[in-house]
Amino acid sequence: MLPDLDDFYCFALVVEHAGFSAAERATDIPKSKLSRRVYHLEEQLGVRLIQRNSRHFAVTDIGMDVYRHAQVMMNAAQAAHDVVNHLSSEPRGVIKVSVPVDIAQNQMAKILPAFLKQYPEIRVQMMVSNRRVDVINEGIDLALRIRSKLDDDPNLVLRQFNAIQQRLFASQAYLNEVGHLTTPEQLTEHRVISMAEEHLDQHFLLFGPNKQQKKIKINPVVMGSNLFMLAELASQNCGIALLPDSIAQGLVQSGQLVQVLPEWTAPHGIFHAVYPSRRGLLPAVRVFIDYLVEQLKSDF
C-alpha cells in the first residue's frame, strides 16, 4: 500500500525549507504536524529520511532520492490544479456534445456560429448520431435528445426545451394528382413517407380539434429516420410526410410543400438536454447550456 501523498508533500516542504521550524514559518503548517507526517512516511518506507536533533538537520541520501520524487508529485499536482483553474476561470476548452442528426443539420447549424463568435476559446466536439449515448460512461458533457418521455436517470441533470409538434405535409402536385384529404382516415388511401424504420406495420397517432385523438393505420412507401430526406421526398411528389415545422418551414415558404389536414398534429417528442452534474460544471459547458436554452426555447 502506498504511503499517504500528504506525507510526501509535508516531507518535501521540510526539505525545501531546510528544517521543520522554517517550513512552519513559510507554510503556517504546525511543526508538530510536519514532524508527525515525516515520521509516518519513514515508518511506511522503512528508511530514515532525515537525521535530526535539537541542533542538527540533515537529509539522508535516500531521503534526497525520495525528495526528488516527491517534487515530481508536487509539480504534477500543481499542474493539475493549474489546468482546472485555467478552464474554470472563464469559458474555454472542448465541449463534447451528442446531437441527433436532424437537430445538428437544422438548429445547431443555425445557432452555433454566433456562439463560437461570442466564445472564441471554446471548441465544440459534436457527436452527430441518433444513437442513445451513455452520457457518463462515454464522457459526454451534454446530450441533446428528443423523446416522448423525459429521461428519469437520477445521475443526470435535465433541461427541457419544448415539445416538438409535427404536422402532415405534401407537395401541391401530389395532392392535385391523388386528391386532397378532409379526414385523417383518408391517410390509409395515400402514399405515406414515415420516419419509423423498424416495422412495416405502422400507425400515425394524430390529435385534432376538441382533443380528438385518432390512430390511423398507414402503409409507408419509404421509411427512414432522416427528416430532411423525408421532407425532400415529399417535395418531390412521393407522398405525405409527418414533419416538424422547423424542417418543413423553408419548403412551405418556397411553395414546395403545403400543409395537409392543418387542424391535426402529432407529438414528435420533448426536446431536452441531459448532462452529468451541476456540481463542478465547467464554465464552457454552463454557458453552452444557457445559450441553448435561450436559443431553442421558442424554435419549434
Side-chain angles (χ1 to χ4, degrees):
M1 181 177 176
L2 287 173
D4 192 324
L5 295 182
D6 198 32
D7 293 346
F8 285 103
Y9 173 68
C10 290
F11 170 67
L13 290 176
V14 171
V15 175
E16 184 178 327
H17 293 93
F20 292 91
S21 297
E24 180 184 43
R25 289 191 297 270
T27 64
D28 289 328
I29 299 175
K31 183 169 67 172
S32 58
K33 178 181 178 179
L34 294 170
S35 179
R36 186 172 63 253
R37 286 291 189 177
V38 172
Y39 177 78
H40 186 259
L41 181 61
E42 289 177 327
E43 287 289 303
Q44 289 289 305
L45 296 177
V47 294
R48 191 75 166 176
L49 301 175
I50 296 175
Q51 300 289 356
R52 61 228 188 243
N53 55 42
S54 58
R55 293 182 297 176
H56 180 72
F57 176 91
V59 183
T60 64
D61 290 342
I62 188 65
M64 288 305 300
D65 288 337
V66 172
Y67 169 65
R68 283 189 282 271
H69 288 291
Q71 275 187 312
V72 172
M73 286 187 284
M74 289 175 65
N75 291 338
Q78 184 63 52
H81 184 268
D82 291 344
V83 165
V84 173
N85 276 349
H86 179 71
L87 291 175
S88 301
S89 59
E90 60 182 89
R92 56 161 61 92
V94 178
I95 307 171
K96 193 171 183 181
V97 186
S98 170
V99 188
V101 174
D102 300 311
I103 297 298
Q105 290 178 310
N106 193 25
Q107 276 68 35
M108 299 307 291
K110 294 176 182 176
I111 67 176
L112 264 184
F115 177 81
L116 296 173
K117 185 176 181 180
Q118 184 176 351
Y119 298 103
E121 293 193 62
I122 293 179
R123 293 184 293 160
V124 181
Q125 182 181 358
M126 199 173 299
M127 298 174 59
V128 180
S129 172
N130 292 330
R131 176 179 67 87
R132 183 187 178 94
V133 299
D134 187 329
V135 174
I136 294 176
N137 290 327
E138 294 185 47
I140 306 296
D141 293 310
L142 180 74
L144 301 183
R145 292 175 175 171
I146 302 173
R147 300 283 186 268
S148 57
K149 182 180 178 182
L150 290 174
D151 294 87
D152 56 2
D153 189 332
N155 298 311
L156 298 176
V157 180
L158 184 146
R159 291 291 296 271
Q160 184 175 333
F161 302 123
N162 283 332
I164 302 176
Q165 295 296 328
Q166 296 184 112
R167 305 177 198 278
L168 295 163
F169 295 92
S171 69
Q172 188 62 59
Y174 169 81
L175 296 175
N176 291 342
E177 176 190 346
V178 182
H180 289 257
L181 289 78
T182 56
T183 66
E185 287 79 6
Q186 291 173 318
L187 282 168
T188 59
E189 305 164 8
H190 282 261
R191 297 198 298 272
V192 173
I193 307 165
S194 172
M195 184 179 182
E197 57 189 16
E198 295 87 3
H199 308 289
L200 294 177
D201 269 348
Q202 296 188 21
H203 295 80
F204 277 167
L205 181 61
L206 301 176
F207 295 84
N210 303 317
K211 298 183 179 180
Q212 294 181 73
Q213 179 177 327
K214 293 189 176 181
K215 188 176 183 181
I216 308 298
K217 180 176 173 58
I218 59 170
N219 296 297
V221 294
V222 178
M223 293 164 283
S225 61
N226 189 295
L227 289 171
F228 283 94
M229 178 189 71
L230 302 187
E232 182 62 28
L233 288 172
S235 73
Q236 297 295 323
N237 315 322
C238 292
I240 299 173
L242 196 57
L243 303 167
D245 289 340
S246 58
I247 301 292
Q249 184 179 22
L251 294 171
V252 171
Q253 290 174 347
S254 66
Q256 295 173 267
L257 288 180
V258 296
Q259 196 169 334
V260 177
L261 299 172
E263 294 184 331
W264 293 86
T265 64
H268 181 50
I270 303 171
F271 188 23
H272 62 284
V274 292
Y275 51 97
S277 173
R278 284 192 178 93
R279 184 178 181 184
L281 201 63
L282 291 175
V285 179
R286 189 180 301 280
V287 298
F288 188 62
I289 292 170
D290 292 342
Y291 182 81
L292 290 179
V293 170
E294 178 64 27
Q295 294 295 318
L296 299 176
K297 62 184 179 182
S298 60
D299 198 47
F300 293 94

